Amino acid sequence: IRLVGEFVTNAVGLANSTAKATREFENFLGSTEAAAGAVADLTALAGEKLLNTQDVLDAGKGLLAFGEGADNLVPVLSRIADVSAATGKNFNELTTIYGKARTAGVLYAEDINQLVDAGIPISQEFATQMGVSNDQVKKLASEGKISFEELQLAMFNLTAEGGKFAGAATAQANELT
């Protein structure tokens, strides 16, 4: 009976947080239908990657606030989840770094250092993408000459099929289940 009670309590809690999230997303997206769709997609992503649903919903709201389009939330957060699972870096911290870079439009040395400190080989990825050396990446970053688009491409390359972190969150979820 205790387990049934806990299950019911958790189910009601999830329903309440989903309803609240839908109202919050509606403020960003302008319609209940779009908000409900985004919340459903993010909830499914959380289940697929075995992430905390509230963390994923918060990350989605954060990315919307940073200017990300609703249609890009799941692909972006899926890539961030893979990087987080592969490196152990907190999912929401990575989302914030990504969102801030999106807003700024460029990455600076401090941003790159945060990503490198998290175990992400971002400098090497930028060097490969841009056809420059690691030292040149550092110089370009100190001058604010690495665009957000380069970060988007790097995240894609690192998490796409054959990439260093491809499917890491799903693999981790499968191991746990």
Side-chain angles (χ1 to χ4, degrees), residues 118-130:
I120 303 166
I122 202 75
S123 292
Q124 294 91 329
E125 189 61 37
F126 286 150
T128 301
Q129 285 173 204
M130 301 168 84

Side-chain angles (χ1 to χ4, degrees), residues 87 89 97 109-122:
T87 64
K89 181 69 173 171
I97 292 168
E110 177 185 331
D111 303 314
I112 292 174
N113 288 340
Q114 282 184 302
L115 295 169
V116 169
D117 289 346
I120 303 166
I122 202 75

